[in-house]
mmCIF file of all heavy atoms in Angstrom:
data_model
loop_
_atom_site.group_PDB
_atom_site.id
_atom_site.type_symbol
_atom_site.label_atom_id
_atom_site.label_comp_id
_atom_site.label_asym_id
_atom_site.label_seq_id
_atom_site.Cartn_x
_atom_site.Cartn_y
_atom_site.Cartn_z
ATOM 1 N N ILE A 1 2.571 13.535 -18.555
ATOM 2 C CA ILE A 1 1.990 13.596 -17.260
ATOM 3 C C ILE A 1 2.572 14.703 -16.405
ATOM 4 O O ILE A 1 1.926 15.270 -15.624
ATOM 5 C CB ILE A 1 2.222 12.208 -16.574
ATOM 6 C CG1 ILE A 1 1.433 11.081 -17.327
ATOM 7 C CG2 ILE A 1 1.824 12.289 -15.102
ATOM 8 C CD1 ILE A 1 1.615 9.747 -16.739
ATOM 9 N N ALA A 2 3.819 15.099 -16.776
ATOM 10 C CA ALA A 2 4.498 16.219 -16.138
ATOM 11 C C ALA A 2 3.955 17.567 -16.459
ATOM 12 O O ALA A 2 3.996 18.576 -15.718
ATOM 13 C CB ALA A 2 5.957 16.208 -16.346
ATOM 14 N N GLU A 3 3.274 17.717 -17.578
ATOM 15 C CA GLU A 3 2.745 18.988 -18.089
ATOM 16 C C GLU A 3 1.578 19.506 -17.332
ATOM 17 O O GLU A 3 0.821 18.678 -16.710
ATOM 18 C CB GLU A 3 2.544 18.887 -19.600
ATOM 19 C CG GLU A 3 3.675 18.539 -20.404
ATOM 20 C CD GLU A 3 3.288 18.390 -21.881
ATOM 21 O OE1 GLU A 3 2.125 18.297 -22.141
ATOM 22 O OE2 GLU A 3 4.198 18.286 -22.757
ATOM 23 N N HIS A 4 1.346 20.764 -17.385
ATOM 24 C CA HIS A 4 0.013 21.279 -17.038
ATOM 25 C C HIS A 4 -1.033 20.816 -18.138
ATOM 26 O O HIS A 4 -0.808 21.093 -19.320
ATOM 27 C CB HIS A 4 0.006 22.777 -16.910
ATOM 28 C CG HIS A 4 0.796 23.279 -15.728
ATOM 29 N ND1 HIS A 4 0.770 24.544 -15.354
ATOM 30 C CD2 HIS A 4 1.576 22.677 -14.837
ATOM 31 C CE1 HIS A 4 1.527 24.713 -14.267
ATOM 32 N NE2 HIS A 4 2.042 23.580 -13.979
ATOM 33 N N GLN A 5 -2.153 20.283 -17.638
ATOM 34 C CA GLN A 5 -3.028 19.587 -18.618
ATOM 35 C C GLN A 5 -4.316 20.320 -18.718
ATOM 36 O O GLN A 5 -4.819 20.994 -17.850
ATOM 37 C CB GLN A 5 -3.223 18.144 -18.107
ATOM 38 C CG GLN A 5 -2.020 17.384 -18.002
ATOM 39 C CD GLN A 5 -2.230 16.043 -17.227
ATOM 40 O OE1 GLN A 5 -3.269 15.660 -16.927
ATOM 41 N NE2 GLN A 5 -1.093 15.390 -16.896
ATOM 42 N N ASP A 6 -4.980 20.097 -19.911
ATOM 43 C CA ASP A 6 -6.356 20.582 -20.148
ATOM 44 C C ASP A 6 -7.317 19.767 -19.316
ATOM 45 O O ASP A 6 -7.250 18.438 -19.457
ATOM 46 C CB ASP A 6 -6.734 20.603 -21.622
ATOM 47 C CG ASP A 6 -5.924 21.593 -22.458
ATOM 48 O OD1 ASP A 6 -5.721 22.694 -21.961
ATOM 49 O OD2 ASP A 6 -5.450 21.214 -23.533
ATOM 50 N N PRO A 7 -8.174 20.284 -18.495
ATOM 51 C CA PRO A 7 -9.056 19.488 -17.736
ATOM 52 C C PRO A 7 -10.229 18.841 -18.557
ATOM 53 O O PRO A 7 -10.595 19.435 -19.602
ATOM 54 C CB PRO A 7 -9.695 20.478 -16.666
ATOM 55 C CG PRO A 7 -9.565 21.759 -17.294
ATOM 56 C CD PRO A 7 -8.287 21.712 -18.234
ATOM 57 N N ASP A 8 -10.669 17.684 -18.175
ATOM 58 C CA ASP A 8 -11.879 16.961 -18.788
ATOM 59 C C ASP A 8 -12.568 16.307 -17.707
ATOM 60 O O ASP A 8 -12.253 16.345 -16.536
ATOM 61 C CB ASP A 8 -11.415 16.117 -20.042
ATOM 62 C CG ASP A 8 -10.520 14.995 -19.590
ATOM 63 O OD1 ASP A 8 -10.504 14.558 -18.464
ATOM 64 O OD2 ASP A 8 -9.727 14.598 -20.406
ATOM 65 N N LEU A 9 -13.490 15.436 -18.124
ATOM 66 C CA LEU A 9 -14.302 14.696 -17.106
ATOM 67 C C LEU A 9 -13.539 13.665 -16.314
ATOM 68 O O LEU A 9 -13.914 13.313 -15.248
ATOM 69 C CB LEU A 9 -15.472 14.021 -17.801
ATOM 70 C CG LEU A 9 -16.538 14.900 -18.467
ATOM 71 C CD1 LEU A 9 -17.535 14.100 -19.219
ATOM 72 C CD2 LEU A 9 -17.166 15.819 -17.450
ATOM 73 N N GLY A 10 -12.418 13.268 -16.877
ATOM 74 C CA GLY A 10 -11.488 12.327 -16.198
ATOM 75 C C GLY A 10 -12.059 10.920 -16.102
ATOM 76 O O GLY A 10 -11.606 10.064 -15.248
ATOM 77 N N ILE A 11 -12.986 10.523 -16.907
ATOM 78 C CA ILE A 11 -13.577 9.135 -16.985
ATOM 79 C C ILE A 11 -12.659 8.167 -17.714
ATOM 80 O O ILE A 11 -12.359 7.050 -17.330
ATOM 81 C CB ILE A 11 -14.984 9.123 -17.450
ATOM 82 C CG1 ILE A 11 -15.879 9.997 -16.463
ATOM 83 C CG2 ILE A 11 -15.514 7.767 -17.646
ATOM 84 C CD1 ILE A 11 -17.293 10.119 -17.014
ATOM 85 N N VAL A 12 -12.199 8.675 -18.901
ATOM 86 C CA VAL A 12 -11.375 7.873 -19.852
ATOM 87 C C VAL A 12 -9.978 8.421 -19.824
ATOM 88 O O VAL A 12 -9.752 9.540 -20.197
ATOM 89 C CB VAL A 12 -11.958 7.795 -21.310
ATOM 90 C CG1 VAL A 12 -11.133 6.976 -22.158
ATOM 91 C CG2 VAL A 12 -13.467 7.313 -21.149
ATOM 92 N N LEU A 13 -9.050 7.586 -19.488
ATOM 93 C CA LEU A 13 -7.605 8.037 -19.608
ATOM 94 C C LEU A 13 -7.178 8.017 -21.087
ATOM 95 O O LEU A 13 -7.524 7.086 -21.851
ATOM 96 C CB LEU A 13 -6.777 7.045 -18.886
ATOM 97 C CG LEU A 13 -5.262 7.416 -18.886
ATOM 98 C CD1 LEU A 13 -4.922 8.660 -18.028
ATOM 99 C CD2 LEU A 13 -4.475 6.153 -18.297
ATOM 100 N N LYS A 14 -6.484 9.109 -21.516
ATOM 101 C CA LYS A 14 -6.052 9.247 -22.896
ATOM 102 C C LYS A 14 -4.856 8.233 -23.012
ATOM 103 O O LYS A 14 -4.162 7.831 -22.108
ATOM 104 C CB LYS A 14 -5.673 10.583 -23.254
ATOM 105 C CG LYS A 14 -6.762 11.574 -23.295
ATOM 106 C CD LYS A 14 -6.357 12.972 -23.690
ATOM 107 C CE LYS A 14 -7.516 13.873 -23.730
ATOM 108 N NZ LYS A 14 -7.103 15.350 -24.040
ATOM 109 N N ARG A 15 -4.604 7.829 -24.259
ATOM 110 C CA ARG A 15 -3.602 6.798 -24.648
ATOM 111 C C ARG A 15 -2.193 7.081 -24.040
ATOM 112 O O ARG A 15 -1.595 6.212 -23.589
ATOM 113 C CB ARG A 15 -3.540 6.629 -26.089
ATOM 114 C CG ARG A 15 -2.363 5.708 -26.558
ATOM 115 C CD ARG A 15 -2.432 5.409 -28.100
ATOM 116 N NE ARG A 15 -1.179 4.875 -28.488
ATOM 117 C CZ ARG A 15 -0.785 3.572 -28.299
ATOM 118 N NH1 ARG A 15 -1.575 2.755 -27.640
ATOM 119 N NH2 ARG A 15 0.386 3.064 -28.824
ATOM 120 N N ASN A 16 -1.744 8.369 -24.071
ATOM 121 C CA ASN A 16 -0.473 8.697 -23.603
ATOM 122 C C ASN A 16 -0.410 9.195 -22.113
ATOM 123 O O ASN A 16 0.553 9.494 -21.551
ATOM 124 C CB ASN A 16 0.267 9.713 -24.447
ATOM 125 C CG ASN A 16 -0.627 11.048 -24.544
ATOM 126 O OD1 ASN A 16 -1.636 11.260 -23.909
ATOM 127 N ND2 ASN A 16 -0.134 11.956 -25.382
ATOM 128 N N GLY A 17 -1.571 9.185 -21.456
ATOM 129 C CA GLY A 17 -1.694 9.588 -20.097
ATOM 130 C C GLY A 17 -1.751 11.103 -19.956
ATOM 131 O O GLY A 17 -1.670 11.645 -18.804
ATOM 132 N N SER A 18 -2.049 11.827 -21.020
ATOM 133 C CA SER A 18 -1.959 13.293 -20.869
ATOM 134 C C SER A 18 -3.129 14.031 -20.151
ATOM 135 O O SER A 18 -3.106 15.143 -19.980
ATOM 136 C CB SER A 18 -1.882 13.950 -22.296
ATOM 137 O OG SER A 18 -3.005 13.532 -23.118
ATOM 138 N N ASN A 19 -4.087 13.219 -19.728
ATOM 139 C CA ASN A 19 -5.117 13.753 -18.840
ATOM 140 C C ASN A 19 -5.190 12.980 -17.505
ATOM 141 O O ASN A 19 -6.272 12.936 -16.906
ATOM 142 C CB ASN A 19 -6.546 13.667 -19.533
ATOM 143 C CG ASN A 19 -7.064 12.239 -19.706
ATOM 144 O OD1 ASN A 19 -6.220 11.298 -19.803
ATOM 145 N ND2 ASN A 19 -8.250 11.979 -19.739
ATOM 146 N N THR A 20 -3.996 12.580 -17.073
ATOM 147 C CA THR A 20 -3.964 11.778 -15.743
ATOM 148 C C THR A 20 -4.467 12.580 -14.694
ATOM 149 O O THR A 20 -5.179 12.096 -13.763
ATOM 150 C CB THR A 20 -2.489 11.346 -15.526
ATOM 151 O OG1 THR A 20 -2.079 10.515 -16.600
ATOM 152 C CG2 THR A 20 -2.425 10.533 -14.289
ATOM 153 N N ALA A 21 -4.215 13.863 -14.606
ATOM 154 C CA ALA A 21 -4.684 14.837 -13.510
ATOM 155 C C ALA A 21 -6.158 14.790 -13.434
ATOM 156 O O ALA A 21 -6.712 14.727 -12.289
ATOM 157 C CB ALA A 21 -4.191 16.164 -13.730
ATOM 158 N N SER A 22 -6.892 14.753 -14.527
ATOM 159 C CA SER A 22 -8.368 14.785 -14.623
ATOM 160 C C SER A 22 -8.784 13.387 -14.043
ATOM 161 O O SER A 22 -9.818 13.316 -13.315
ATOM 162 C CB SER A 22 -8.863 15.059 -15.973
ATOM 163 O OG SER A 22 -8.541 16.360 -16.329
ATOM 164 N N VAL A 23 -8.138 12.311 -14.402
ATOM 165 C CA VAL A 23 -8.622 11.041 -14.031
ATOM 166 C C VAL A 23 -8.383 10.862 -12.467
ATOM 167 O O VAL A 23 -9.338 10.309 -11.750
ATOM 168 C CB VAL A 23 -7.750 9.938 -14.739
ATOM 169 C CG1 VAL A 23 -7.998 8.573 -14.160
ATOM 170 C CG2 VAL A 23 -8.079 9.904 -16.192
ATOM 171 N N ILE A 24 -7.286 11.374 -11.980
ATOM 172 C CA ILE A 24 -7.060 11.320 -10.546
ATOM 173 C C ILE A 24 -8.152 12.167 -9.859
ATOM 174 O O ILE A 24 -8.628 11.704 -8.758
ATOM 175 C CB ILE A 24 -5.707 11.828 -10.209
ATOM 176 C CG1 ILE A 24 -4.624 10.929 -10.789
ATOM 177 C CG2 ILE A 24 -5.468 12.037 -8.788
ATOM 178 C CD1 ILE A 24 -4.591 9.497 -10.228
ATOM 179 N N ASN A 25 -8.396 13.300 -10.354
ATOM 180 C CA ASN A 25 -9.437 14.151 -9.731
ATOM 181 C C ASN A 25 -10.761 13.451 -9.695
ATOM 182 O O ASN A 25 -11.529 13.584 -8.627
ATOM 183 C CB ASN A 25 -9.443 15.513 -10.468
ATOM 184 C CG ASN A 25 -10.220 16.578 -9.720
ATOM 185 O OD1 ASN A 25 -10.154 16.748 -8.506
ATOM 186 N ND2 ASN A 25 -11.094 17.293 -10.451
ATOM 187 N N HIS A 26 -11.151 12.759 -10.745
ATOM 188 C CA HIS A 26 -12.415 12.159 -10.845
ATOM 189 C C HIS A 26 -12.531 11.064 -9.821
ATOM 190 O O HIS A 26 -13.507 10.855 -9.082
ATOM 191 C CB HIS A 26 -12.717 11.688 -12.252
ATOM 192 C CG HIS A 26 -13.992 10.765 -12.353
ATOM 193 N ND1 HIS A 26 -15.260 11.278 -12.352
ATOM 194 C CD2 HIS A 26 -14.049 9.416 -12.480
ATOM 195 C CE1 HIS A 26 -16.067 10.314 -12.392
ATOM 196 N NE2 HIS A 26 -15.439 9.158 -12.493
ATOM 197 N N LEU A 27 -11.438 10.137 -9.762
ATOM 198 C CA LEU A 27 -11.442 9.004 -8.818
ATOM 199 C C LEU A 27 -11.509 9.557 -7.387
ATOM 200 O O LEU A 27 -12.157 8.922 -6.549
ATOM 201 C CB LEU A 27 -10.123 8.281 -9.082
ATOM 202 C CG LEU A 27 -10.093 7.468 -10.406
ATOM 203 C CD1 LEU A 27 -8.694 6.851 -10.517
ATOM 204 C CD2 LEU A 27 -11.169 6.452 -10.488
ATOM 205 N N ARG A 28 -10.762 10.603 -7.111
ATOM 206 C CA ARG A 28 -10.695 11.144 -5.698
ATOM 207 C C ARG A 28 -12.124 11.528 -5.252
ATOM 208 O O ARG A 28 -12.501 11.352 -4.079
ATOM 209 C CB ARG A 28 -9.658 12.222 -5.583
ATOM 210 C CG ARG A 28 -9.486 12.807 -4.167
ATOM 211 C CD ARG A 28 -8.321 13.699 -4.173
ATOM 212 N NE ARG A 28 -8.593 14.886 -5.105
ATOM 213 C CZ ARG A 28 -9.277 15.928 -4.844
ATOM 214 N NH1 ARG A 28 -9.830 16.067 -3.624
ATOM 215 N NH2 ARG A 28 -9.440 16.916 -5.802
ATOM 216 N N LYS A 29 -12.901 12.141 -6.303
ATOM 217 C CA LYS A 29 -14.159 12.632 -5.797
ATOM 218 C C LYS A 29 -15.286 11.655 -5.964
ATOM 219 O O LYS A 29 -16.254 11.711 -5.097
ATOM 220 C CB LYS A 29 -14.526 13.846 -6.722
ATOM 221 C CG LYS A 29 -13.645 15.075 -6.535
ATOM 222 C CD LYS A 29 -14.051 16.296 -7.437
ATOM 223 C CE LYS A 29 -13.141 17.503 -7.095
ATOM 224 N NZ LYS A 29 -13.527 18.641 -8.131
ATOM 225 N N SER A 30 -15.185 10.763 -6.961
ATOM 226 C CA SER A 30 -16.344 9.923 -7.244
ATOM 227 C C SER A 30 -16.085 8.453 -7.020
ATOM 228 O O SER A 30 -17.022 7.717 -6.897
ATOM 229 C CB SER A 30 -16.841 10.115 -8.742
ATOM 230 O OG SER A 30 -17.073 11.507 -8.974
ATOM 231 N N LYS A 31 -14.867 7.987 -6.974
ATOM 232 C CA LYS A 31 -14.564 6.571 -6.790
ATOM 233 C C LYS A 31 -13.498 6.465 -5.742
ATOM 234 O O LYS A 31 -12.392 6.024 -5.935
ATOM 235 C CB LYS A 31 -14.090 5.983 -8.142
ATOM 236 C CG LYS A 31 -15.132 5.979 -9.243
ATOM 237 C CD LYS A 31 -16.213 4.984 -9.007
ATOM 238 C CE LYS A 31 -17.267 4.935 -10.053
ATOM 239 N NZ LYS A 31 -18.312 4.011 -9.834
ATOM 240 N N LYS A 32 -13.947 6.833 -4.456
ATOM 241 C CA LYS A 32 -12.942 6.876 -3.370
ATOM 242 C C LYS A 32 -12.225 5.518 -3.151
ATOM 243 O O LYS A 32 -11.050 5.482 -2.896
ATOM 244 C CB LYS A 32 -13.668 7.239 -2.177
ATOM 245 C CG LYS A 32 -12.825 7.618 -0.893
ATOM 246 C CD LYS A 32 -11.980 8.822 -1.232
ATOM 247 C CE LYS A 32 -11.277 9.335 0.096
ATOM 248 N NZ LYS A 32 -10.515 8.328 0.797
ATOM 249 N N MET A 33 -12.976 4.442 -3.239
ATOM 250 C CA MET A 33 -12.340 3.097 -3.001
ATOM 251 C C MET A 33 -11.158 2.827 -4.095
ATOM 252 O O MET A 33 -10.143 2.406 -3.707
ATOM 253 C CB MET A 33 -13.379 2.025 -3.095
ATOM 254 C CG MET A 33 -12.831 0.638 -2.789
ATOM 255 S SD MET A 33 -14.153 -0.623 -2.867
ATOM 256 C CE MET A 33 -15.197 -0.077 -1.447
ATOM 257 N N HIS A 34 -11.531 3.160 -5.318
ATOM 258 C CA HIS A 34 -10.529 2.926 -6.426
ATOM 259 C C HIS A 34 -9.329 3.901 -6.193
ATOM 260 O O HIS A 34 -8.189 3.590 -6.312
ATOM 261 C CB HIS A 34 -11.151 3.230 -7.750
ATOM 262 C CG HIS A 34 -12.034 2.178 -8.234
ATOM 263 N ND1 HIS A 34 -12.541 2.233 -9.508
ATOM 264 C CD2 HIS A 34 -12.517 1.084 -7.676
ATOM 265 C CE1 HIS A 34 -13.361 1.174 -9.678
ATOM 266 N NE2 HIS A 34 -13.391 0.511 -8.568
ATOM 267 N N PHE A 35 -9.620 5.193 -5.745
ATOM 268 C CA PHE A 35 -8.531 6.046 -5.476
ATOM 269 C C PHE A 35 -7.593 5.641 -4.326
ATOM 270 O O PHE A 35 -6.387 5.736 -4.464
ATOM 271 C CB PHE A 35 -9.124 7.484 -5.120
ATOM 272 C CG PHE A 35 -8.074 8.453 -4.778
ATOM 273 C CD1 PHE A 35 -7.200 9.073 -5.779
ATOM 274 C CD2 PHE A 35 -7.912 8.956 -3.492
ATOM 275 C CE1 PHE A 35 -6.319 9.975 -5.495
ATOM 276 C CE2 PHE A 35 -6.933 9.878 -3.186
ATOM 277 C CZ PHE A 35 -6.170 10.421 -4.165
ATOM 278 N N ASP A 36 -8.263 5.086 -3.268
ATOM 279 C CA ASP A 36 -7.448 4.580 -2.201
ATOM 280 C C ASP A 36 -6.528 3.416 -2.586
ATOM 281 O O ASP A 36 -5.425 3.309 -2.117
ATOM 282 C CB ASP A 36 -8.401 4.219 -1.001
ATOM 283 C CG ASP A 36 -9.069 5.426 -0.317
ATOM 284 O OD1 ASP A 36 -8.539 6.479 -0.548
ATOM 285 O OD2 ASP A 36 -10.035 5.229 0.420
ATOM 286 N N ARG A 37 -7.084 2.535 -3.444
ATOM 287 C CA ARG A 37 -6.308 1.435 -3.883
ATOM 288 C C ARG A 37 -5.171 1.862 -4.703
ATOM 289 O O ARG A 37 -4.047 1.352 -4.649
ATOM 290 C CB ARG A 37 -7.261 0.460 -4.646
ATOM 291 C CG ARG A 37 -8.169 -0.397 -3.797
ATOM 292 C CD ARG A 37 -7.449 -1.497 -3.084
ATOM 293 N NE ARG A 37 -7.062 -2.560 -4.036
ATOM 294 C CZ ARG A 37 -6.032 -3.428 -3.845
ATOM 295 N NH1 ARG A 37 -5.287 -3.273 -2.795
ATOM 296 N NH2 ARG A 37 -5.742 -4.268 -4.743
ATOM 297 N N LEU A 38 -5.509 2.928 -5.629
ATOM 298 C CA LEU A 38 -4.385 3.521 -6.449
ATOM 299 C C LEU A 38 -3.222 3.977 -5.610
ATOM 300 O O LEU A 38 -2.062 3.713 -5.872
ATOM 301 C CB LEU A 38 -4.985 4.554 -7.302
ATOM 302 C CG LEU A 38 -4.073 5.268 -8.260
ATOM 303 C CD1 LEU A 38 -4.857 5.644 -9.542
ATOM 304 C CD2 LEU A 38 -3.420 6.496 -7.695
ATOM 305 N N CYS A 39 -3.621 4.765 -4.492
ATOM 306 C CA CYS A 39 -2.601 5.234 -3.567
ATOM 307 C C CYS A 39 -1.839 4.191 -2.964
ATOM 308 O O CYS A 39 -0.597 4.363 -2.661
ATOM 309 C CB CYS A 39 -3.228 6.299 -2.612
ATOM 310 S SG CYS A 39 -3.855 7.757 -3.345
ATOM 311 N N GLU A 40 -2.531 3.116 -2.582
ATOM 312 C CA GLU A 40 -1.783 1.966 -1.807
ATOM 313 C C GLU A 40 -0.722 1.389 -2.814
ATOM 314 O O GLU A 40 0.391 1.087 -2.406
ATOM 315 C CB GLU A 40 -2.798 0.888 -1.441
ATOM 316 C CG GLU A 40 -3.734 1.300 -0.325
ATOM 317 C CD GLU A 40 -4.767 0.219 -0.041
ATOM 318 O OE1 GLU A 40 -4.612 -0.905 -0.604
ATOM 319 O OE2 GLU A 40 -5.668 0.528 0.663
#
């Protein structure tokens, strides 16, 4: 999660979390309610 990551659609989180940045980006843009709950 600390590394600079290859971007993807961010819909499915990879097993080790190596695309967490893409998942966060997708949630922030497309699933605002989920993103706000995550931040809480």
Side-chain angles (χ1 to χ4, degrees):
I1 296 178
E3 297 174 352
H4 289 191
Q5 303 169 7
D6 294 320
D8 60 28
L9 294 176
I11 296 176
V12 180
L13 180 70
K14 293 181 179 178
R15 173 172 164 76
N16 58 6
S18 59
N19 68 332
T20 301
S22 294
V23 172
I24 295 298
N25 192 43
H26 172 76
L27 291 175
R28 184 172 57 84
K29 292 180 177 179
S30 304
K31 297 289 180 179
K32 188 66 166 55
M33 186 179 296
H34 288 185
F35 177 73
D36 290 343
R37 286 284 289 155
L38 182 150
C39 291
E40 288 176 12

